[in-house]
Amino acid sequence: MIRKLPQDFVLGTTTAAYQVEGSTDADGRAPAEWDCWYNRPSSTFDGKTASEFYIHFKEDIARCRQYNIKALGISIAWTRIIKNEQGEVNEAGLAFYREVIDCCLENGIEPYVALYHFDSPLFIFEEGEWLAPNTVEQFLHYARVCFKHFGSRVKHWITMKDPVSLVVNEYVTGLFPPAEHYEISKAVHALHKLLVAHARTVNLYKSMNLPGEIGIAHRAEAVYPLAGSWKNERAAALDDAFTNRFLLDAVMAGGYSPKTLTDINDILARDNDSFAPAQAELATLREAAGRMDFLGINYYTSHFCEAWSGEDDIQHNASGLRGSSSYALHGVGRRLAKEDVPTTDWDWSIFPHGLYDMLLRIHEEYPAKPLYVTENGLGLHEQLPEPDANGARIVEDDDRIDYIRQHLSAVLDAMDEGVDVRGYFVWSMLDAMSWLNGYDKRYGLFFVDYKNQQRYPKKSAYWFRDLAKSRIMLTVDALRTSVLAP
Ligand code: BGP
């Protein structure tokens, strides 16, 4: 079916500081935990140069304008703004982001600015990061500096991106520093602190009377039981409690529901631990939930679960070799591939129906708020082709175009059901460093040749440019029924 996107529906692309900037030693930037992590002898890549956005941001932003990209997600690196635990401010870091933000505005591009996208300063990390008593205060200091300097020009703030993924990878999968395995209890406590930091940041922003909006971006992953038994349903409910409900309850409803608390405590029982938030923290969550302006959804994949009483077993597919991953947590559940659902080379299910379900569910279960899809995209192995007859080198990423089309169709379907979705951002504007997979998993609309940092528009960049102009899209009708969840 041919459909028209509303004229005021935001179509943008997005990035994250550590994944694109490089220049990790420039202009007084403080070290990040990731600098050390990627310096390990076993690491095969690092973020020292990344996509050199720090150097090339002016051309990159100008290119966005040429391709009708009117909104750009960026994140500010805490490490460039705050020098040390005393909270000293780095003027050169402020100057850099001032230039980036101004450059967006001069090009008619609305910046959507995240304060935190996984990249803690080393001095924060060494103290225990989100498990340490002072981190929330340190984050607020950093946020206040950003609001003060950029608050009159930035109209869309995101406190943090994907806090659930952060703590899961830090304490459960062991794939992010400090690389701890199966410590679900630490993940829950750290996530709660992140959510308190988010809430206090929202409250701080609102107290400063600035002329913009603020929200958070949650990596939403729909969780379905594999057919068959109430045990599988229970496994999916437990997985979902931590993957989605814990965060959504806190930021949207302003507190954890009794059901979420029961499920989380059932999970923690396996570690002989429990979770009970302090009353003062709940009051903070409540206040912020009422004041938060929008919720961002980062969507890539969904999960199909069965009950699991075997050993914990998580294996990561870092190389893009299909079928090499596993995810099983004793007493919680095991995620399995579902036969009729396609996957990426990195074993992520491609399931636009999950995005539709998440949008509907948030709309139905939580107080009304505008939603944005703040990230969605497809990682692929890609190579720069030889020049064609016209000398152009265009990566033919039809799979990415299909992926975006399918997910945007799901968004439009949700909007038809009354869900208030205001925009959609492709991850990513240009090829970027993938935290776990380095530079071989490409997501960009623009290809980066890492040998010389040249950029080349992919076929998807042209497609997106035309879509942003015409707003007309051939949607995928079979979407909601083709690969139905059980
Ligand atoms: C999101 C992160 C992004 C990005 C994306 C793709 O959750 O916010 O930073 O990396 O996932 O993930 P990956 O690079 O692991 O494929």
Side-chain angles (χ1 to χ4, degrees):
M1 193 188 358
I2 305 235
R3 307 258 319 248
K4 191 147 185 152
L5 290 165
Q7 209 49 46
D8 56 355
F9 185 84
V10 178
L11 278 176
T13 67
T14 186
T15 63
Y18 202 86
Q19 294 176 272
V20 295
E21 286 177 0
S23 299
T24 46
D25 289 331
D27 302 325
R29 172 187 175 277
E33 57 175 301
W34 292 100
D35 302 347
C36 305
W37 178 250
Y38 292 128
N39 248 336
R40 289 168 307 146
S42 59
S43 178
T44 52
F45 61 92
D46 60 46
K48 284 185 190 139
T49 49
S51 315
E52 288 191 352
F53 183 74
Y54 196 81
I55 298 170
H56 300 293
F57 71 90
K58 287 192 179 138
E59 302 102 85
D60 287 331
I61 292 171
R63 196 175 304 104
C64 284
R65 191 197 56 220
Q66 286 165 19
Y67 284 77
N68 297 330
I69 295 165
K70 299 270 173 52
L72 178 65
I74 59 166
S75 72
I76 294 181
W78 188 349
T79 47
R80 293 201 194 275
I81 304 298
I82 304 295
K83 288 188 197 170
N84 47 35
E85 56 231 292
Q86 288 72 44
E88 247 182 287
V89 174
N90 178 14
E91 292 300 327
L94 287 175
F96 169 66
Y97 290 108
R98 195 174 304 125
E99 274 198 71
V100 172
I101 291 162
D102 285 351
C103 184
C104 286
L105 297 174
E106 281 154 18
N107 280 284
I109 293 169
E110 195 60 38
Y112 283 66
V113 179
L115 288 168
Y116 184 64
H117 195 137
F118 301 170
D119 47 353
S120 297
L122 187 60
F123 65 82
I124 292 286
F125 184 74
E126 283 177 336
E127 292 299 312
E129 210 192 30
W130 298 102
L131 293 171
N134 286 332
T135 302
V136 175
E137 287 300 337
Q138 305 254 40
F139 185 74
L140 280 171
H141 167 62
Y142 155 63
R144 189 177 292 110
V145 171
C146 293
F147 292 153
K148 200 169 130 224
H149 283 82
F150 311 125
S152 61
R153 276 165 291 179
V154 172
K155 303 288 161 50
H156 302 274
W157 290 96
I158 294 171
T159 55
M160 53 186 66
K161 282 188 140 184
D162 298 358
V164 178
S165 306
L166 176 71
V167 299
V168 165
N169 283 318
E170 289 184 328
Y171 299 114
V172 182
T173 68
L175 295 166
F176 283 7
E180 296 191 22
H181 293 269
Y182 312 123
E183 296 283 352
I184 301 185
S185 171
K186 283 190 181 172
V188 167
H189 292 287
L191 181 57
H192 173 63
K193 289 295 176 208
L194 276 151
L195 297 174
V196 170
H198 151 78
R200 290 191 58 190
T201 307
V202 169
N203 292 336
L204 167 70
Y205 182 74
K206 292 294 172 185
S207 74
M208 292 173 78
N209 288 319
L210 290 162
E213 306 192 317
I214 191 160
I216 187 172
H218 166 53
R219 177 157 168 150
E221 299 175 351
V223 185
Y224 304 93
L226 279 164
S229 71
W230 65 267
K231 281 189 178 170
N232 291 353
E233 278 175 27
R234 181 75 190 130
L238 290 178
D239 188 326
D240 179 64
F242 189 60
T243 305
N244 297 302
R245 250 186 297 135
F246 193 79
L247 180 144
L248 292 173
D249 283 7
V251 306
M252 296 290 279
Y256 308 106
S257 71
K259 175 171 158 46
T260 300
L261 282 178
T262 305
D263 287 350
I264 290 294
N265 279 311
D266 278 0
I267 296 173
L268 295 188
R270 54 167 256 158
D271 296 343
N272 295 319
D273 191 21
S274 62
F275 170 74
Q279 285 309 318
E281 290 175 335
L282 286 176
T284 304
L285 294 181
R286 213 163 27 245
E287 189 183 355
R291 302 167 100 183
M292 185 174 82
D293 299 296
F294 65 89
L295 174 72
I297 292 296
N298 294 348
Y299 181 82
Y300 294 88
T301 192
S302 287
H303 302 294
F304 306 93
C305 280
E306 67 173 15
W308 183 247
S309 52
E311 298 281 296
D312 292 335
D313 175 30
I314 296 179
Q315 305 295 334
H316 172 63
N317 164 0
S319 55
L321 250 188
R322 267 171 213 249
S324 53
S325 59
S326 63
Y327 193 103
L329 288 171
H330 173 85
V332 183
R334 174 156 76 144
R335 296 173 177 175
L336 290 173
K338 197 165 176 299
E339 243 169 55
D340 49 356
V341 175
T343 58
T344 70
D345 286 348
W346 288 264
D347 297 330
W348 292 10
S349 63
I350 301 177
F351 196 63
H353 186 90
L355 174 58
Y356 171 85
D357 279 348
M358 284 307 300
L359 293 171
L360 255 289
R361 165 188 177 185
I362 291 166
H363 171 73
E364 280 162 10
E365 293 178 12
Y366 292 98
K369 290 250 187 248
L371 306 178
Y372 288 86
V373 176
T374 33
E375 281 183 27
N376 176 240
L378 178 64
L380 293 168
H381 291 288
E382 289 173 321
Q383 277 175 357
L384 191 61
E386 290 305 316
D388 63 18
N390 302 316
R393 306 180 77 176
I394 302 174
V395 176
E396 304 266 337
D397 56 343
D398 294 274
D399 287 349
R400 179 169 295 113
I401 296 171
D402 279 354
Y403 183 98
I404 296 173
R405 190 199 301 284
Q406 288 179 36
H407 287 80
L408 258 176
S409 300
V411 172
L412 285 172
D413 285 346
M415 289 164 73
D416 285 348
E417 304 289 328
V419 184
D420 181 8
V421 189
R422 303 275 172 98
Y424 171 94
F425 290 73
V426 176
W427 177 269
S428 50
M429 185 256 278
L430 74 178
D431 289 339
M433 189 197 80
S434 163
W435 301 100
L436 298 175
N437 315 284
Y439 296 93
D440 290 332
K441 189 181 190 186
R442 293 173 182 265
Y443 281 89
L445 294 180
F446 299 98
F447 184 93
V448 177
D449 184 349
Y450 289 107
K451 288 198 294 295
N452 53 21
Q453 293 290 341
Q454 286 265 359
R455 277 72 161 137
Y456 298 86
K458 300 180 191 174
K459 191 171 175 183
S460 57
Y462 293 105
W463 179 82
F464 198 73
R465 178 193 67 184
D466 295 346
L467 173 69
K469 179 137 193 262
S470 69
R471 308 233 139 213
I472 290 174
M473 194 180 76
L474 182 64
T475 55
V476 186
D477 284 339
L479 169 77
R480 283 166 48 194
T481 44
S482 59
V483 269
L484 263 187

